Amino acid sequence: MYININSLNLNGSLADGPGIRIVVFLQGCDIRCHNCHNKQTWDETAGTLYDIKELADILKKNSSNKKITISGGEPLLQKEAISELLKYIEDWDICLYTGHNLNEIPDDIIKYLKYVKIGSFDNSLKTTTEPFIGSLNQKFINLKGD
């Protein structure tokens, strides 16, 4: 199985969830928020296909702390591939950024997540003071409660 990737941040990010995290930006978006900061991820026909096992090996080789955020584009466009990837990194601290609602995340994905950012970006509610979200209508949720 393959997953379509826009880019990988293997150097780590402090802006995409708690701690220093690898970030996987998936290709393709069906929400297309006004003033999106990742418009290059919208086109589903662009990006680079990765074999999921090979991607998991790349992530494991480059992570010192097993923290990852899966972002986009819209990750849920590739929910089968995400579900498969998460099986390889199930013991990681995993965060998913989606423009969809919590109830739209399949159970076979949500069971692996520690954190989730939900809600589409709304430019009229833009914030730079709330951590890990872009607009005040979005929610960043700790699913494990610790």
Side-chain angles (χ1 to χ4, degrees):
M1 181 178 283
Y2 290 89
I3 190 166
N4 194 4
I5 303 293
N6 174 271
S7 62
L8 299 172
N9 178 348
L10 300 174
N11 295 323
S13 169
L14 291 170
D16 296 289
I20 300 170
R21 313 177 78 79
I22 285 177
V23 185
V24 177
F25 294 95
L26 300 185
Q27 189 69 39
C29 185
D30 59 345
I31 299 174
R32 300 182 178 207
C33 303
H34 176 68
N35 282 343
C36 172
H37 71 280
N38 281 342
K39 286 184 181 179
Q40 71 278 8
T41 66
W42 287 5
D43 182 359
E44 291 179 52
T45 65
T48 303
L49 291 178
Y50 282 79
D51 175 84
I52 291 176
K53 170 84 169 79
E54 290 175 11
L55 176 61
D57 290 343
I58 291 168
L59 299 174
K60 289 175 183 180
K61 179 181 176 188
N62 286 280
S63 177
S64 60
N65 65 2
K66 295 184 174 183
K67 293 181 185 233
I68 187 171
T69 295
I70 299 169
S71 190
E74 175 47 57
L76 294 184
L77 285 178
Q78 300 187 62
K79 57 188 168 195
E80 294 84 9
I82 291 172
S83 180
E84 186 66 23
L85 174 64
L86 296 182
K87 293 174 188 174
Y88 289 103
I89 58 170
E90 65 183 320
D91 62 330
W92 284 35
D93 176 324
I94 302 167
C95 178
L96 177 77
Y97 275 33
T98 178
H100 291 281
N101 295 315
L102 192 59
N103 65 350
E104 295 175 274
I105 303 171
D107 291 340
D108 63 336
I109 291 175
I110 209 159
K111 70 181 180 182
Y112 293 109
L113 303 179
K114 182 168 184 181
Y115 303 102
V116 64
K117 190 251 350 149
I118 56 170
S120 59
F121 175 73
D122 182 337
N123 194 57
S124 70
L125 298 172
K126 184 176 180 178
T127 181
T128 57
T129 59
E130 295 294 320
F132 316 129
I133 62 171
S135 59
L136 294 173
N137 62 300
Q138 297 175 318
K139 303 284 184 250
F140 189 85
I141 303 167
N142 180 341
L143 296 168
K144 304 295 185 193
D146 53 9

